Amino acid sequence: MLKLIPFFLMISTFSLTAQNYQAKTIDYNLKLGVPMKIDMLLAGNFCEMRSNHFHTGLDIKTNHQEGVKLYAIEDGFIARLKVSPWGYGNAIYIQHTNGLTSLYAHCQKFTPKIDSLVYEIQKAYEKSVIDKDVLPLKIPIKKGQFIGYSGNSGSSSAPHLHFEIRETKTEHAINPLLFKCYQNLIKD
């Protein structure tokens, strides 16, 4: 009888969490912009198995070079800025009004306006490595606005853009290729 207790605990845990699940209501017909104005050739796909995790975005090739201009895919506000020698490296998160957040990682650098904000944050915290929520500053971003340059920062082995789309409320990563606007843009 004692051996059955862990089994019943496991079953009750599944039933409790299953009741809290709500289906996502994401409009995959949105006409989102492109993160870069170059051919979208992939170096890594969504949900690829990596050494210790699943890949949560698309790795878009930049023809072996840094410095390709990056653009916001939709209107919104800068939500988070990250500067680090590991992980996503230099990254910008933009929270959009449609319930999505886009992430642009491994950037070489940001626009001068965003770079000056990064510098102010680094100065205020007296740290070069930062990961800060800046959404309360309400820095607006327009669809198609230039936000920075692709790079090879953080835990990156070659120049590329790591591009993610997340559901803002849950921060769950969504495969960008589910959006019809990107399906015909992938060249490989």
Side-chain angles (χ1 to χ4, degrees), residues 176-186:
L177 296 179
L178 292 175
F179 292 90
K180 291 183 181 176
C181 59
Y182 296 131
Q183 290 174 0
N184 294 325
L185 294 179
I186 304 302

Side-chain angles (χ1 to χ4, degrees), residues 11 20-21 74 107 116 132 186:
I11 296 298
N20 292 330
Y21 177 77
E74 190 61 72
C107 301
S116 66
K132 294 296 173 199
I186 304 302

Side-chain angles (χ1 to χ4, degrees), residues 10-26:
M10 182 178 72
I11 296 298
S12 65
T13 302
F14 286 139
S15 65
L16 288 174
T17 57
Q19 292 171 0
N20 292 330
Y21 177 77
Q22 293 180 351
K24 292 179 176 37
T25 56
I26 297 168

Side-chain angles (χ1 to χ4, degrees), residues 66-68 70 82-84 87-93 103-111 147-154 156 160-162:
E66 296 183 45
V68 176
L70 304 176
K82 194 172 198 175
V83 174
S84 172
Y88 285 152
N90 301 330
I92 183 170
Y93 297 69
L103 163 61
Y104 313 77
H106 305 304
C107 301
Q108 179 187 53
K109 59 184 178 178
F110 307 116
T111 62
I147 56 171
Y149 298 92
S150 69
N152 192 24
S153 63
S156 171
H160 72 284
L161 170 65
H162 174 87

Side-chain angles (χ1 to χ4, degrees), residues 2-3 13 26 28 30 41 60 63 75 86 97 163 171:
L2 290 176
K3 291 181 182 179
T13 302
I26 297 168
Y28 293 109
L30 290 170
L41 302 171
I60 305 170
N63 200 22
D75 292 351
W86 54 85
T97 56
F163 173 65
E171 293 192 30

